[in-house]
């Protein structure tokens, strides 16, 4: 006797699967809603978590890109000895350029005090003496004004933080401030105010998941500086460091290694690091959080999987009589399993779709109320969530469905 | 069409063996109506389940249309039940959430029938339920439910219908109507095997056998 051929063309049986499944779902509203709710919550949580975590990584990466990833920082290690007897001098810049093929801009660092011209609002700050081409080397964002030019001797540029401390209400651009550094007092004109590239000053005290990663960056780059023109010409003039802009197509990490090797004789007195190396450092910090959160998400899914399996087990047990009748009338075990699977595929697919919409909404609410970055909803997450939902639904059904299809219909109907 | 040769059915109950059927030899010819009588627990239902390919003999041979059922695979047994054997139970065994028409078309759907509704309606018409297509079992009387069950059995145009006390839950008047329907079915050449406690129903058969303690006493 020939076996029945299972093809999934739209025969009445296949449509009947859908109809049976829909009827099975709508006629048992309590287990259906329980499973739908549990699956939706689990999937929405997983998707929201993924979006929030992906948002952190994207935000950190974008933050770093905004301060330039094609730059190698070279500076003396922070000690009083190095501040006053720096091992670096202006002549080193030529060597930096030779090794990297890029462009080097030296800087000198001094601690200074800025006040208004009326000697009010004294603000301690770092004074960075930089060449006029500095603004070509690093991407700067301006609140107002711009960078000084060659010959702008008595001028300066302020970081946003400094400008706000000196004059909380009024603009300082075009006005004079008083600057005390290197033992001298100078009245200089403010040419521009630079925006904090991370825009985090106001949020830094808030608790957020990115806090730890961002504080690392903040420790490496303090945006509380005053920039003045460096007029040094003598190659033996001491400098506290330089930034080197790497030409396009070259790997900053490799050049970083070369520079470290070349200046190994200076030992720990200078630090050389490519900004791109920060990305991996910072992302490593965020990745720990990501891994923990993903593990939590995974546990939630397992718990929900067990819960849905239990509900399915009870729901299918209530249908033993129906299954026995189907078997008596010629339903194959595979067809019985197929029907029950179809029900849960519809249910978990619906839960997946609702979860996608819910996670978008949750992301918006979380962003508005709790975090300072935008959750990143990636297109592949839709497939992951739908896939997870279907997998979870199938996992929860397959065992109870297999058990139900294996029952002896005679026994079931007799007991009934 | 059906031939049982020295069939035994033994169940295990813990360490004990229960002989539900012993040395059963039986033939059912095409178009014949056989009624089976016997006290409760005598093995009538077990015999019916074996005849319906819902169970297999422990020993002996069951030949369905000349083929040994022991050689059938699980899907082949299902296909035989689906296409060649109709079932009518005392408790109707209808799907309570499906309509009368949906219950009747159920075997056709499993058979891959492309126009199950038309045939389903014809079957319901033939048992006088043309006005009950969309009713669920809970909305039908006992007699109507049994007629739906008969329609479900005949819709697949089977070789044989096995009925397990089909009038057991019905009053005598409705039972008599049901038997009339069975008579009509039999006139179409479909064999009938009916288990009954009622002598009246038994008289309806071409032949009656009695089972006691798993053995056929009289044929």
């Amino acid at each position: 006797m020939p076996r029945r051929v299972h093809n999934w063309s739209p025969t009445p049986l296949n449509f009947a699967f859908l109809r049976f499944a829909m009827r099975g779902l709508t006629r048992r509203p309590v287990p259906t809603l329980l499973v739908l709710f549990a699956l939706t919550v689990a999937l929405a949580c997983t998707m929201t978590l993924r979006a929030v975590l992906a948002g952190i990584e994207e935000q950190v990466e974008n933050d770093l890109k905004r301060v330039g990833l094609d730059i190698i920082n070279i500076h003396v290690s922070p000690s009083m000895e190095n501040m006053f007897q720096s091992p670096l001098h202006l002549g080193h810049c030529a060597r930096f350029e030779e090794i990297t093929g890029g462009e080097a801009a030296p800087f000198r660092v001094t601690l200074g005090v800025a006040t208004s011209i009326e000697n009010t609002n004294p603000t301690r700050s770092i004074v960075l003496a930089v060449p006029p081409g500095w603004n070509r080397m690093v991407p700067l964002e301006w609140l107002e004004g711009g960078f000084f030019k060659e010959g702008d001797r008595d001028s300066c540029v302020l970081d946003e933080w400094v400008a706000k401390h000196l004059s909380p209400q009024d603009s300082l651009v075009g006005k004079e401030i008083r600057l005390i550094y290197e033992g001298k007092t100078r009245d200089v004109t403010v040419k521009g105010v630079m925006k904090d590239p991370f825009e985090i000053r106001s949020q830094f005290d808030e608790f957020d998941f990115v806090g730890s990663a961002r504080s690392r960056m903040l420790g490496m780059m303090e945006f509380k500086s005053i920039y003045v023109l460096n007029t040094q010409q003598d190659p033996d003039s001491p400098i506290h460091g330089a930034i080197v802009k790497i030409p396009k197509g070259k790997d900053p990490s490799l050049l970083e290694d070369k520079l470290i090797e070349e200046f190994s004789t200076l030992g720990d007195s200078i630090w050389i690091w490519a900004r791109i190396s920060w990305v991996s450092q910072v992302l490593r910090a965020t990745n720990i959080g990501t891994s923990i959160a993903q593990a939590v998400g995974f546990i939630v899914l397992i718990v929900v999987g067990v819960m849905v399996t239990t509900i399915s087990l009870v729901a299918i047990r209530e249908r033993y009589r129906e299954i026995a009748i189907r078997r008596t009338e010629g339903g194959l075990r595979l067809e019985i399993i197929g029907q029950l699977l179809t029900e849960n595929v519809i249910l978990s697919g619906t839960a997946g779709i609702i979860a996608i919409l819910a996670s978008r909404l949750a992301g918006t609410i979380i962003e508005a109320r709790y975090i300072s970055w935008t959750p990143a909803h990636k297109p592949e997450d839709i497939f992951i969530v739908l896939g997870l939902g279907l997998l979870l639904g199938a996992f929860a059904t397959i065992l109870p469905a297999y058990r139900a299809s294996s029952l002896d219909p005679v026994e079931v109907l007799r007991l009934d | 069409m059906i031939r049982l040769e020295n069939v035994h059915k033994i169940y295990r109950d813990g360490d004990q063996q229960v002989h539900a059927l012993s040395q059963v030899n039986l033939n059912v010819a095409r178009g014949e109506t056989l009624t089976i009588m016997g006290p409760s627990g005598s093995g009538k239902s077990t015999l019916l389940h074996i005849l319906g390919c819902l169970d297999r003999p422990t020993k002996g041979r069951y030949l369905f249309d000349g083929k040994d059922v022991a050689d059938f695979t699980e899907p082949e047994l299902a296909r035989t039940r689906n296409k060649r054997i109709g079932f009518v139970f005392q408790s109707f065994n209808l799907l309570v959430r499906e309509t009368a028409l949906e219950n009747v078309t159920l075997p056709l759907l499993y058979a891959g029938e492309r126009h199950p509704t038309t045939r389903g309606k014809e079957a319901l018409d033939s048992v006088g339920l043309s006005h009950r297509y969309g009713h669920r079992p809970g909305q039908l009387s006992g007699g109507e439910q049994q007629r739906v069950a008969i329609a479900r059995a005949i819709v697949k145009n089977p070789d044989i219908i096995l009925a397990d006390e089909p009038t057991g839950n019905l009053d005598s008047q409705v039972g008599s109507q049901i038997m009339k329907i069975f008579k009509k079915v039999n006139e179409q050449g479909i064999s009938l095997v009916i288990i009954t406690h009622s002598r009246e129903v038994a008289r309806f058969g071409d032949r009656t056998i009695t089972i006691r303690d798993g053995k056929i006493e009289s044929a």
Side-chain angles (χ1 to χ4, degrees):
Chain A
M1 192 173 289
R3 282 166 185 258
R4 190 181 303 161
V5 179
H6 284 273
N7 58 2
W8 289 91
S9 60
T11 62
L13 177 59
N14 297 349
F15 287 132
F17 265 156
L18 286 175
R19 206 183 62 216
F20 292 153
M22 288 310 294
R23 199 174 286 272
L25 293 172
T26 52
R27 292 300 168 86
R28 296 170 183 83
V30 175
T32 299
L33 287 176
L34 269 177
V35 170
L36 189 68
F37 178 74
L39 279 174
T40 304
V41 169
L43 294 174
C45 286
T46 306
M47 196 175 181
T48 308
L49 201 62
R50 279 181 65 84
V52 168
L53 294 173
I56 294 175
E57 290 189 7
E58 252 178 35
Q59 182 77 33
V60 168
E61 213 160 330
N62 287 340
D63 281 352
L64 291 171
K65 276 181 188 160
R66 288 165 73 182
V67 292
L69 291 179
D70 55 349
I71 283 178
I72 296 178
N73 277 44
I74 302 163
H75 59 83
V76 296
S77 55
S79 70
M80 291 305 278
E81 190 187 347
N82 284 336
M83 286 299 285
F84 292 106
Q85 283 189 318
S86 173
L88 291 175
H89 49 78
L90 197 59
H92 276 122
C93 285
R95 187 71 187 123
F96 296 153
E97 288 179 345
E98 197 182 319
I99 291 168
T100 61
E103 188 184 353
F107 61 85
R108 226 155 25 90
V109 181
T110 325
L111 285 175
V113 175
T115 69
S116 67
I117 210 76
E118 297 86 16
N119 281 330
T120 57
N121 297 344
T123 305
R124 263 192 236 203
S125 177
I126 292 169
V127 178
L128 277 168
V130 297
W134 183 269
N135 58 328
R136 283 188 288 104
M137 309 282 282
V138 286
L140 304 175
E141 290 186 40
W142 298 97
L143 272 184
E144 49 183 331
F147 214 70
F148 42 69
K149 299 182 181 68
E150 191 102 37
D152 286 346
R153 280 179 176 270
D154 294 322
S155 58
C156 73
V157 165
L158 306 178
D159 267 339
E160 184 180 351
W161 185 87
V162 180
K164 280 188 177 160
H165 272 73
L166 280 173
S167 178
Q169 303 295 332
D170 303 322
S171 165
L172 282 172
V173 174
K175 293 179 184 165
E176 282 197 327
I177 61 165
R178 188 151 290 157
L179 205 52
I180 304 156
Y181 69 101
E182 292 175 339
K184 292 177 186 168
T185 301
R186 299 173 175 93
D187 289 345
V188 293
T189 306
V190 177
K191 289 285 179 184
V193 176
M194 279 196 281
K195 205 172 165 183
D196 176 352
F198 294 153
E199 293 175 339
I200 56 174
R201 196 76 60 209
S202 61
Q203 297 156 3
F204 184 58
D205 293 334
E206 292 174 13
F207 170 76
D208 66 43
F209 294 118
V210 187
S212 61
R214 286 189 164 185
S215 62
R216 284 174 71 109
M217 293 195 296
L218 206 69
M220 295 166 101
M221 287 190 69
E222 286 282 332
F223 293 96
K224 296 180 181 179
S225 305
I226 298 170
Y227 295 77
V228 296
L229 189 65
N230 186 355
T231 54
Q232 288 172 309
Q233 297 290 332
D234 182 359
D236 292 328
S237 307
I239 58 170
H240 293 112
I243 55 169
V244 184
K245 191 174 177 71
I246 303 302
K248 273 187 183 165
K250 288 199 175 181
D251 182 354
S253 305
L254 288 177
L255 295 173
E256 176 195 53
D257 292 343
K258 273 191 182 177
L259 284 167
I260 289 170
E261 195 183 335
E262 175 74 14
F263 291 93
S264 59
T265 51
L266 294 176
D268 291 339
S269 59
I270 66 163
W271 290 355
I272 298 170
W273 38 271
R275 286 186 180 181
I276 201 160
S277 304
W278 295 357
V279 178
S280 56
Q281 272 193 40
V282 172
L283 288 183
R284 208 172 298 139
T286 59
N287 279 345
I288 295 168
T290 307
S291 305
I292 293 169
Q294 277 179 344
V296 171
F298 185 67
I299 291 167
V300 167
L301 282 178
I302 288 182
V303 170
V304 168
V306 171
M307 189 178 148
V308 172
T309 306
T310 311
I311 298 169
S312 296
L313 204 63
V314 173
I316 290 175
R317 188 170 286 171
E318 284 172 1
R319 299 171 67 182
Y320 279 175
R321 184 175 172 276
E322 173 201 331
I323 290 163
I325 293 170
R326 289 182 186 282
R327 294 265 287 134
T328 306
E329 290 301 330
L332 294 175
R333 284 178 60 186
L334 202 63
E335 287 167 341
I336 303 296
I337 294 172
Q339 182 198 326
L340 297 172
L341 272 177
T342 306
E343 287 184 16
N344 262 22
V345 162
I346 291 172
L347 200 57
S348 47
T350 309
I353 291 166
I354 298 173
I356 289 165
L357 300 174
S359 91
R360 294 273 174 165
L361 184 68
T364 310
I365 294 168
I366 288 171
E367 185 187 356
R369 300 191 60 173
Y370 302 110
I371 59 174
S372 54
W373 68 97
T374 306
H377 297 277
K378 296 181 176 172
E380 63 262 32
D381 281 2
I382 291 173
F383 297 104
I384 290 172
V385 162
L386 281 177
L388 263 177
L390 295 179
L391 208 67
L392 212 61
F395 167 78
T397 316
I398 196 82
L399 191 67
Y402 178 80
R403 270 188 60 176
S405 73
S406 309
L407 290 170
D408 180 357
V410 172
E411 204 63 30
V412 174
L413 293 177
R414 185 160 56 202
L415 287 174
D416 186 64
Chain B
M1 189 182 66
I2 277 178
R3 186 179 177 83
L4 297 183
E5 293 177 357
N6 200 24
V7 162
H8 292 249
K9 182 68 191 179
I10 303 166
Y11 293 109
R12 288 199 170 274
D13 185 9
D15 290 342
Q16 287 197 324
Q17 288 190 337
V18 179
H19 289 257
L21 291 177
S22 295
Q23 290 180 313
V24 172
N25 291 288
L26 182 69
N27 286 309
V28 181
R30 198 173 293 275
E32 182 185 5
T33 297
L34 174 72
T35 53
I36 304 173
M37 296 189 75
S40 294
S42 59
K44 302 186 300 292
S45 293
T46 304
L47 176 62
L48 201 76
H49 293 148
I50 286 174
L51 292 176
C53 295
L54 286 165
D55 208 349
R56 291 178 195 255
T58 313
K59 237 168 43 176
R61 293 213 307 163
Y62 170 24
L63 301 173
F64 189 100
D65 218 8
K67 290 172 189 148
D68 193 341
V69 171
D71 297 334
F72 286 12
T73 60
E74 195 59 44
E76 284 166 351
L77 287 173
R79 187 181 165 83
T80 305
R81 286 197 300 271
N82 179 239
K83 294 205 160 180
R84 307 190 68 181
I85 304 172
F87 294 93
V88 177
F89 298 94
Q90 182 181 0
S91 54
F92 324 128
N93 284 343
L94 300 174
L95 299 178
V96 291
R97 291 188 169 85
E98 307 286 324
T99 63
L101 186 59
E102 285 163 346
N103 267 287
V104 172
T105 55
L106 184 70
L108 299 180
L109 293 173
Y110 285 119
E113 168 71 39
R114 291 211 165 259
H115 305 288
T117 309
T118 314
R119 282 183 60 185
K121 283 180 178 173
E122 283 169 7
L124 278 171
D125 293 349
S126 71
V127 295
L129 287 178
S130 50
H131 58 302
R132 297 290 205 204
Y133 293 159
H135 287 68
R136 295 207 171 79
Q139 299 165 312
L140 301 172
S141 68
E144 285 174 324
Q145 287 188 58
Q146 195 60 296
R147 281 194 273 165
V148 173
I150 294 170
R152 184 179 62 188
I154 61 174
V155 74
K156 45 187 154 179
N157 196 20
D159 295 319
I160 185 166
I161 290 177
L162 307 174
D164 192 353
E165 297 187 42
T167 58
N169 279 355
L170 307 173
D171 61 45
S172 57
Q173 195 185 346
V174 177
S176 156
Q177 287 171 4
I178 293 297
M179 292 317 294
K180 277 182 191 160
I181 294 170
F182 273 127
K183 194 168 174 58
K184 258 172 60 185
V185 169
N186 184 235
E187 281 165 8
Q188 292 166 22
I190 297 173
S191 306
L192 293 173
V193 176
I194 302 171
I195 289 179
T196 184
H197 286 292
S198 156
R199 297 220 169 267
E200 213 168 301
V201 172
R203 271 199 294 276
F204 167 83
D206 301 323
R207 184 160 60 101
T208 301
I209 61 169
T210 306
I211 294 185
R212 196 178 298 273
D213 296 330
K215 291 180 179 167
I216 295 178
E217 274 193 351
S218 60

